[in-house]
Amino acid sequence: MELPRPKQFTVSLTEADRVELTGVVRSGTHPARMITRARILLALDETQGPSPDRRVVAERVGVSEATVYLVAKRFDAAGGNVEDVITRKKRLTPPNEPKITGDVQARLIALACTEPPQGHSRWTLRLLEKHVALTEGMPTMDHSTIGRVLQRGLSDRT
């Protein structure tokens, strides 16, 4: 028989926290991960008496022991703020920098507003794609991206 690990992080919920978490679990209108984290916090609550081992909580909730550990750790790091533990963190910046900046958009619109090259009666998206690829300082863009940029840029001007 394996001995349970000692508890590094204890969860002590207030009555208001318990009511909030119970509402999250019972309503079923929240994201699944939020409900799972709420169930973990309710199971780890020490104010109702000693909480079961992480392994037992993990089996009851249907997650891994590591998930139970991380939820308890996040509760400790959040200073007991239940809302911070169960909700998803907001990302401060997008994972990739956007290729289409305001400068690129302005240069593309300016190019589309010029006279088309000789032999063409108007600019097409594929013709713009070829000219953008040859223009220095402009990122390579697909014709569909060029169409979206132009559509967005021309609708902004009205």
Side-chain angles (χ1 to χ4, degrees), residues 4 15 19 32 55 66 92 94 96 105 114 120 133 135 138 140-141:
E15 186 63 36
V19 169
R55 184 178 41 78
L92 298 177
N96 300 324
Q105 182 179 3
T114 62
H120 296 277
T135 305
M138 293 276 280
T140 56
M141 290 183 267

Side-chain angles (χ1 to χ4, degrees), residues 49-68:
S51 67
D53 183 41
R54 278 197 308 229
R55 184 178 41 78
V56 174
V57 172
E59 288 173 6
R60 282 184 195 163
V61 179
V63 295
S64 69
E65 284 185 54
T67 302
V68 175

Side-chain angles (χ1 to χ4, degrees), residues 82-111:
V82 172
E83 195 65 32
D84 287 348
V85 177
I86 64 172
T87 57
R88 187 174 175 198
K89 290 182 193 174
K90 294 287 183 197
R91 181 174 281 192
L92 298 177
T93 57
N96 300 324
E97 289 295 320
K99 282 175 41 176
I100 312 302
T101 61
D103 179 52
V104 171
Q105 182 179 3
R107 291 178 65 190
L108 184 59
I109 292 171
L111 178 63

Side-chain angles (χ1 to χ4, degrees), residues 96-154:
N96 300 324
E97 289 295 320
K99 282 175 41 176
I100 312 302
T101 61
D103 179 52
V104 171
Q105 182 179 3
R107 291 178 65 190
L108 184 59
I109 292 171
L111 178 63
C113 291
T114 62
E115 286 294 317
Q118 194 153 7
H120 296 277
S121 60
R122 61 186 174 87
W123 284 105
T124 64
L125 293 178
R126 294 189 190 270
L127 187 59
L128 281 169
E129 179 183 9
K130 290 177 185 174
H131 277 269
V132 165
L134 298 174
T135 305
E136 193 173 316
M138 293 276 280
T140 56
M141 290 183 267
D142 186 54
H143 64 277
S144 60
T145 305
I146 292 172
R148 278 193 307 274
V149 169
L150 290 176
Q151 188 174 28
R152 191 175 353 137
L154 295 175

